[in-house]
Amino acid sequence: MDDINTLRRILSQNRVIAVVGLSADWFRPSYFAAKYMQEHGYTVIPVNPRYTEVLGQKCYKSLRDIPVKVDIVDCFRKTGDILPIAEDAIAIGAKVLWQQLGVKNEAAAAKARAAGLEAVLDRCVKIEHGRLFGGLNWVGVNTRVISAKRPRWLAY
């Protein structure tokens, strides 16, 4: 899924994100992205067998251990590790399999789509949220306009 309307819909309708591979190290991209999403009203559920807690939330060993409904499974793992994560996402009834920047497992995406999930490849939830909902100021950008040409479908 690459179109703006789809990404905007996914991020506005799905509020519970399980972050697979979330690190407790503040300098890791997974930590920064999860903290950003948490600060913007999303429920972030850490999934990493190395930790018991990350960002003040209980950390689970796998997706199947999470006791609540998950909307987005955000994958901070290598491309080769994604297929079993996709199978777990399908098993828990997630709505979206989101593969982070640099992660492009087409087989996992196809399997997720065949099971009724939406699949996003090679995109960062934090970057997309900032781009689509005005959160780029978190990294020092405060242009208030993403491009010189405003899309006609925006309300303003």
Side-chain angles (χ1 to χ4, degrees), residues 22-24 30-36 38 44 46 53-57:
L22 178 56
S23 174
S30 61
Y31 185 92
F32 191 73
K35 182 171 178 54
Y36 172 91
Q38 195 177 48
V44 172
E53 184 179 297
V54 180
L55 287 170
Q57 303 296 316

Side-chain angles (χ1 to χ4, degrees), residues 75-86:
C75 305
F76 276 93
R77 301 289 301 151
K78 293 182 285 189
T79 299
D81 297 342
I82 300 300
L83 193 55
I85 296 168

Side-chain angles (χ1 to χ4, degrees), residues 31-152:
Y31 185 92
F32 191 73
K35 182 171 178 54
Y36 172 91
M37 297 308 283
Q38 195 177 48
E39 293 290 327
H40 283 83
Y42 290 81
T43 300
V44 172
I45 302 171
V47 179
N48 191 328
R50 294 178 52 202
Y51 307 108
T52 57
E53 184 179 297
V54 180
L55 287 170
Q57 303 296 316
K58 179 178 172 32
C59 192
Y60 295 91
K61 293 185 185 301
S62 77
L63 287 171
R64 294 179 190 244
D65 295 335
I66 300 172
V68 297
K69 181 83 171 110
V70 171
D71 298 323
I72 300 173
V73 174
D74 186 14
C75 305
F76 276 93
R77 301 289 301 151
K78 293 182 285 189
T79 299
D81 297 342
I82 300 300
L83 193 55
I85 296 168
E87 291 167 353
D88 287 349
I90 293 165
I92 66 168
K95 297 176 186 173
V96 181
L97 177 68
W98 191 298
Q99 299 178 49
Q100 278 292 329
L101 286 175
V103 183
K104 298 180 199 174
N105 191 319
E106 294 288 349
K111 189 167 195 162
R113 287 185 186 113
L117 280 73
E118 294 188 88
V120 178
L121 286 76
D122 195 26
R123 297 223 176 231
C124 174
V125 292
K126 183 220 165 295
I127 292 170
E128 294 306 320
H129 185 276
R131 181 172 74 98
L132 299 171
F133 299 101
L136 289 177
N137 59 338
W138 263 53
V139 291
V141 178
N142 195 9
T143 62
R144 299 167 83 50
V145 177
I146 302 306
S147 70
K149 216 176 201 186
R150 288 188 181 178
R152 294 176 186 232

